[in-house]
Amino acid sequence: MPHVVTQSCCSDGSCVYACPVNCIHPSPDEPGFATAEMLYIDPLACVDCGACVSACPVGAISPDTKLTDNQLPFIELNAAFYPKREGRIPPTSKLAPVIEAPRIEPRKGPLTVAIVGSGPAAMYAADELLTQRGVRVNMFEKLPTPYGLVRAGVAPDHQSTKRVTKLFDRMAEQNGLTLYLNVEVGKHISHADLLEHHHAVLYAVGAPNDRRLDIEGMNLPGTGTATEVVAWFNGHPDFTDLAVDLSGERVVIIGNGNVALDVARILTSDPDQLARTDIADHALRALRSSRVQEVVIAARRGPQFSAFTLPELIGLTTTCDVVLDAADHQQVIVDLAGVTDPLTRNKLEILAKLGDASAPITRPRIRLAYNVTPHRVLGDQRVTGIEFTGSGAGVLEAGMVLTSIGYRGKAIADLPFDERAGVVPNDGGRVVDSPGTYVAGWIKRGPTGFIGSNKSCAAETVHRLVEDYNRGRLGDPDHRPAALDKLVRGRQPAVVDAAGWRAIDAAEIARGGGVRPRGKFTQVPDMLAAAATAPRPPLGKRLLAGLRH
Ligand code: NAP
């Protein structure tokens, strides 16, 4: 009865260190870790102690007897990562080597770091810093709610993945961390201000823009990007008014990464199922009156180059109606004959078993299309279709055309920027030619990987930062800590602190009425009104906090 890692694996590696027999791989010290699509439990070595279950922040691990029918393929997927062997593997005492936390050499005052952003990379960086005594982290987030793409990017039907916020809540409660939510760096406070008040500034701002497809017609009403739609159905306040017109029968999504799969799944899901998630109310209303019958996910290359990951493909095909055209079925067979990489073969074998697109549509479905290069979007007043070149050349009628060709980093004021790669140029997280400035997450390495990939990425950056601090390369702040609080509140009186976030969180959970995980606020004023109900700490505590500053 071994344990099994399933679809929502976030790859943060916590399970690896919890395992007493080192049976979860690749581990963070192994070469394949950075590129692995998930982690795998060796069924012949697992001793079934369940330690990994408690360590996993997203509930991705279960004993094989407790899997749902949809999760059964993961038994084989875990086993297939390991060579074929006979019998049980004797328990090993050689545990995965733990990557040591950076040792901060004590000085008179604390090491103070500003972290910009509050998504996974920011949270993991703060946590890594706060493993040491005498560290203070001030975290700045432009929205009144924290956690970045976990709140606004993970699809609402992936609630298990969103469970990582419980871990982030615990991180945010640590002594030494101060949250400044609803404060925008570059607007309310500048990079120079932050440098004056801290030893170092660490940007973990992600990649907020989309890569754009420069073809004729991409500006017509009815075109857009998948990432905007993700932000819309997740209730991001900047996207509540996005025009998402679901009156046509077909939507075409260009690009076949995991974001495309997320959008296709939500657009074809039963709204009654979605009503049990934290999807934004406006999106649920629009989906209830949607006329969409087919979402085509169009890839410019063949099936063997599919950008989606295997766990997500398994999740998609076990929950949705997914079909292929006859020509694409043929291509899958051809690819299978030539491909040896086990992961790609696994994907192709799943694709080979999909239904045929010529079957009548009985419920909203997803069609994976291959070898179609977008040439131009058709339409006069609004989108009516799209023309493709490539071996699958032709025209597809569509009411909406979305690109899903990757996120893109945005330049940060006063920092260098690599326009081609869309990242801040850095050496292991140390920003080039910018003393005291660091980056972690997508703005450091580009928009790839999973939530947990940010843990090792942030740890690398923090190691560099601490090394610089220990070597005396970081100047002491010019001001006492209390001065920062005064400055921020002076520039943005509507700052939301940790108590304010707890109040927003509690109010959203209450709005869920026990039926949904939460009813999200999607307008900033509503969030601020909820934050204002936070109980103020007693006067004595406030005075003490002031003295500590
Ligand atoms: P992605 O995985 O990089 O996929 C981009 C897609 O766009 C590819 O199919 C690519 O095709 C295509 N593309 C790029 N340029 C194009 C062009 N000019 N014309 C046509 N097609 C083009 O990007 P993503 O889906 O935005 O995902 C970003 C990251 O987030 C990934 O690491 C992903 O795994 C992760 N993510 C994970 C989850 C999850 O685990 N559930 C969910 C969402 C996102 P080519 O391969 O031919 O270039």
Side-chain angles (χ1 to χ4, degrees), residues 3-5 9 11 16 22-45 73-85 310-311 341-344 346:
H3 282 63
V4 178
V5 184
C9 175
S11 296
V16 170
N22 196 8
C23 78
I24 308 177
H25 296 274
S27 52
D29 59 301
E30 290 172 342
F33 179 76
T35 50
E37 291 192 345
M38 59 180 278
L39 307 183
Y40 308 89
I41 293 179
D42 183 344
L44 297 183
F74 287 92
I75 297 179
E76 176 52 28
L77 189 57
N78 277 245
F81 182 75
Y82 298 92
K84 289 229 177 311
R85 296 140 305 162
L310 182 57
D341 164 52
L343 194 73
T344 312
N346 240 318

Side-chain angles (χ1 to χ4, degrees), residues 252-302:
V252 173
I253 305 180
I254 296 163
N256 70 354
N258 284 341
V259 172
L261 264 51
D262 282 346
V263 172
R265 233 180 29 252
I266 297 298
L267 295 186
T268 54
S269 287
D270 177 355
D272 287 341
Q273 299 278 345
L274 294 174
R276 293 200 278 269
T277 74
D278 65 352
I279 191 167
D281 293 340
H282 57 249
L284 189 60
R285 272 196 304 278
L287 288 164
R288 283 199 188 283
S289 52
S290 165
R291 297 189 60 228
V292 173
Q293 288 298 302
E294 181 176 73
V295 177
V296 176
I297 299 179
R300 60 181 168 177
R301 295 194 283 165

Side-chain angles (χ1 to χ4, degrees), residues 64-75:
D64 65 357
T65 48
K66 298 240 171 91
L67 298 176
T68 62
D69 285 353
N70 291 345
Q71 291 174 322
L72 292 177
F74 287 92
I75 297 179

